[in-house]
Amino acid sequence: MAISVDPYLNFNGNCAEAMRFYADVLGGSLEFMATFGESPMAEQTPPEQRDLVMHATIVVDGQRIMASDAPGGYYSRPQGLYVSLGIPEPDRARRVFDALSEGGSIQMPFEPTFWASGGFAMFTDRFGTPWMISSEPSQSS
């Protein structure tokens, strides 16, 4: 059986909003979402944290992105990593970049490079998630 390598993102109380947004922008589906209040740990969870997402999964083209809200002040902004998307179609890559980067900060705008003729970008979205998008169209013979 193959090993699955899936990004697991943490959020500061806005996991549900972020995961619904990602599923919509990436053309995926929300496979699972549960709050701490819906879990067997509900009674041990402080009331103000019961609506936080304990676990969520979206599926995009057969691949998973998982996430949760970090409870009780344990959230820290991601650093030292990016969620990397390879999107062969440059027009689609541009649309995803435009949607995900809106309201965020762009480190490198989407444009062709010597390693990605369709375009490449690096940015952090409005939820604090760092992304890279690369588009290298397939060559037809």
Side-chain angles (χ1 to χ4, degrees):
M1 181 175 273
I3 294 174
S4 174
V5 179
D6 306 308
Y8 201 106
L9 309 175
N10 281 284
F11 294 92
N12 193 22
N14 54 2
C15 180
E17 178 187 1
M19 293 298 275
R20 288 184 181 108
F21 177 69
Y22 297 158
D24 182 52
V25 168
L26 298 173
S29 61
L30 184 63
E31 184 176 80
F32 179 83
M33 188 178 303
T35 65
F36 285 96
E38 296 168 329
S39 78
M41 303 178 334
E43 292 304 314
Q44 292 83 27
T45 303
E48 67 276 7
Q49 294 181 15
R50 291 185 184 154
D51 289 335
L52 295 177
V53 173
M54 183 184 73
H55 180 76
T57 302
I58 62 172
V59 177
V60 178
D61 290 338
Q63 298 178 72
R64 291 182 297 194
I65 299 175
M66 297 183 286
S68 65
D69 282 313
Y74 286 100
Y75 175 78
S76 61
R77 234 177 141 84
Q79 62 181 18
L81 64 93
Y82 287 85
V83 178
S84 179
L85 301 174
I87 304 173
E89 307 87 2
D91 291 342
R92 181 177 179 203
R94 165 66 71 181
R95 285 191 304 273
V96 169
F97 166 74
D98 289 344
L100 288 179
S101 65
E102 186 176 338
S105 62
I106 298 171
Q107 290 80 50
M108 185 173 180
F110 187 79
E111 57 189 26
T113 65
F114 69 89
W115 68 86
S117 64
F120 178 82
M122 296 172 65
F123 60 95
T124 301
D125 71 20
R126 64 188 166 112
F127 300 104
T129 301
W131 296 89
M132 289 191 307
I133 296 178
S134 184
S135 181
E136 185 60 41
S138 61
Q139 303 296 320
S140 55
S141 9

